[in-house]
Amino acid sequence: MTEIFFVGLGLIGGSLASNLKNTYSEIVVSAYDADPKQLERAQSIGIIDKAINDFSEGVAQADIIVFATPVQTTVSYLETLPTLKTKPGLIVTDTGSTKSTIQAHEKKLLQHDIHLIGGHPMAGSHKSGVLNAKAHLFENAYYILVHDLPENEAAHARIAQLLESTRAKLLKMTAESHDYVVGIVSHAPHLIASSLVSLNAHYAPQAPLVQELAAGGFRDITRIASSNPEMWRDISLENKHHILTIMKQFQSQLTDVIETLESENKSALYDFFADNKAYRDALPIRGQGALTSTYDLYVDIPDKTGSISQITDILSSHNISIRNLRILELREDIYGALRVSFKNADDRERGRKALQDFDTYIE
């Protein structure tokens, strides 16, 4: 039997534990969490086999350890591993959003026959805690695995084999390339989104309609600014080097836009919008990227009694669940008055087919 020891049982750790336990009969899932209630909940709903109250005891029994904790917490654990009793050939992985500070321990751990394979599942939810864990959370999401030393190739293969049950799209990267790429597609956008919210808040006291009109598209494009502030403080500091380089480039581009507007350069302004539209339109629609995806249909319906219930009846008759319904008052550039939100891409596609008699727009 292979024992997989989870350290941290929130949404990510709980979902991965649930997936592995439901798939492999030859593994034992044990777990440790700073909050004992998380362990009790996980055991009560069958996500883990054993609750471990002593971290060193769990480490000693483990064949594989999964750290599903904040990056700085994981680093602290990694620093203690060489001082603890461990099985020969122990494999360690994590679920953090930055990798360089994690993989900085790879060489030292290898000297103690501990094989470190960094992991970053690019999936999540606005809900947290083990009670919201879902075995299918990682389906079709990118799951990046990281190691820098050739001695860890076999450990990488073992983790990749184990993760096949998640149906995630596995990618292999170095720690440096990982942090650079996610800095561009995830970390910097979070800072930019929060800055846009800050800009809105700055003007709101002077013009009350600013906040009211921000309920439409502005709220959508800044959705990620509602993310956990503690987590994003730590991520920003962990990946500071790459984020600063990217943000300075963004600052330079903003300067160029300002100069274009000041000079009223119509040609340059058109090219700015046209080039970015073309690039954005060419981005993949299916699949999950670095940012949490939303799965929406925009449905054009008349303002009359029964229109919304007609939509929900059609979806219900096709056994399609919806996450949210919202009537859009501000809908510039959106063809449709009703936004229907689904749980995943498959449900959205089934919903589109079911509602094809209505004029729908998918974004």
Side-chain angles (χ1 to χ4, degrees):
M1 297 290 283
T2 298
E3 180 155 337
I4 303 181
F5 178 45
F6 280 81
V7 181
L9 271 185
L11 175 70
I12 299 297
S15 295
L16 186 54
S18 176
N19 179 279
L20 298 179
K21 187 177 185 304
N22 291 339
T23 305
Y24 302 107
S25 59
E26 70 276 13
I27 70 169
V28 173
V29 176
S30 59
Y32 169 84
D33 195 282
D35 181 2
K37 291 182 180 179
Q38 290 289 77
L39 296 177
E40 294 174 10
R41 293 164 182 158
Q43 199 159 24
S44 68
I45 58 179
I47 285 181
I48 63 174
D49 298 301
K50 296 193 301 183
I52 304 293
N53 296 313
D54 183 271
F55 173 72
S56 58
E57 176 187 336
V59 169
Q61 298 173 4
D63 297 290
I64 297 173
I65 299 176
V66 180
F67 288 105
T69 49
V71 171
Q72 293 182 355
T73 303
T74 299
V75 168
S76 297
Y77 281 126
L78 293 177
E79 290 171 348
T80 67
L81 279 184
T83 68
L84 302 176
K85 180 182 178 181
T86 57
K87 287 184 177 181
L90 171 67
I91 299 176
V92 176
T93 188
D94 78 305
T95 63
S97 298
T98 58
K99 296 272 74 80
S100 292
T101 52
I102 298 292
Q103 293 309 122
H105 293 78
E106 186 177 357
K107 185 175 182 179
K108 181 179 179 181
L109 290 175
L110 198 57
Q111 294 170 357
H112 297 269
D113 197 19
I114 299 173
H115 302 266
L116 175 62
I117 306 298
H120 180 193
M122 290 185 165
S125 169
H126 62 290
K127 296 182 179 180
S128 60
V130 72
L131 292 180
N132 292 302
K134 299 181 185 299
H136 62 272
L137 181 68
F138 310 102
E139 286 184 8
N140 300 314
Y142 287 107
Y143 199 126
I144 297 174
L145 294 179
V146 169
H147 74 279
D148 295 325
L149 301 177
E151 294 91 335
N152 282 331
E153 280 290 340
H156 172 273
R158 175 69 178 110
I159 293 297
Q161 179 188 41
L162 196 66
L163 292 175
E164 286 179 359
S165 64
T166 65
R167 299 178 64 186
K169 300 174 183 177
L170 301 181
L171 295 177
K172 181 180 178 182
M173 301 176 72
T174 65
E176 177 70 12
S177 60
H178 168 276
D179 287 359
Y180 175 67
V181 170
V182 297
I184 296 170
V185 299
S186 176
H187 301 167
H190 273 82
L191 285 167
I192 293 168
S194 292
S195 297
L196 288 173
V197 173
S198 178
L199 182 67
N200 186 280
H202 173 79
Y203 286 106
Q206 305 169 35
L209 279 176
V210 165
Q211 188 171 12
E212 183 174 342
L213 296 181
F218 180 85
R219 182 179 174 87
D220 291 337
I221 65 172
T222 58
R223 171 180 51 84
I224 53 177
S226 292
S227 301
N228 184 302
E230 181 180 5
M231 179 182 74
W232 279 100
R233 176 200 63 195
D234 292 347
I235 288 174
S236 298
L237 293 174
E238 288 287 334
N239 204 22
K240 181 181 74 171
H241 170 69
H242 290 304
I243 292 174
L244 284 175
T245 299
I246 296 160
M247 293 294 285
K248 287 175 181 177
Q249 173 61 28
F250 179 62
Q251 185 178 44
S252 174
Q253 290 180 333
L254 280 180
T255 300
D256 291 342
V257 173
I258 291 170
E259 291 175 355
T260 299
L261 279 173
E262 287 178 337
S263 63
E264 297 186 8
N265 188 330
K266 293 182 179 180
S267 175
L269 196 58
Y270 174 86
D271 289 343
F272 171 76
F273 287 116
D275 291 347
N276 290 311
K277 178 186 185 305
Y279 180 83
R280 198 269 182 186
D281 289 349
L283 294 176
I285 295 175
R286 293 184 178 275
Q288 298 183 40
L291 300 179
T292 303
S293 299
T294 56
Y295 307 103
D296 300 331
L297 284 177
Y298 293 90
V299 185
D300 189 33
I301 59 171
D303 183 11
K304 64 180 183 181
T305 304
S307 294
I308 294 178
S309 63
Q310 189 176 9
I311 298 294
T312 57
D313 286 346
I314 292 173
L315 295 174
S316 177
S317 68
H318 287 77
N319 199 30
I320 303 171
S321 297
I322 60 175
R323 172 168 282 170
N324 193 19
L325 283 174
R326 182 180 174 192
I327 298 173
L328 303 175
E329 295 175 319
L330 295 168
R331 44 182 184 270
E332 285 184 297
D333 299 321
I334 294 174
Y335 185 56
L338 180 70
R339 182 171 67 191
V340 187
S341 300
F342 298 88
K343 293 180 179 179
N344 53 55
D346 288 340
D347 283 351
R348 180 178 63 179
E349 180 60 18
R350 290 171 59 218
R352 186 190 66 78
K353 291 179 179 178
L355 297 171
Q356 59 186 355
D357 289 338
F358 292 83
D359 203 352
T360 58
Y361 173 72
I362 302 175
E363 174 61 28

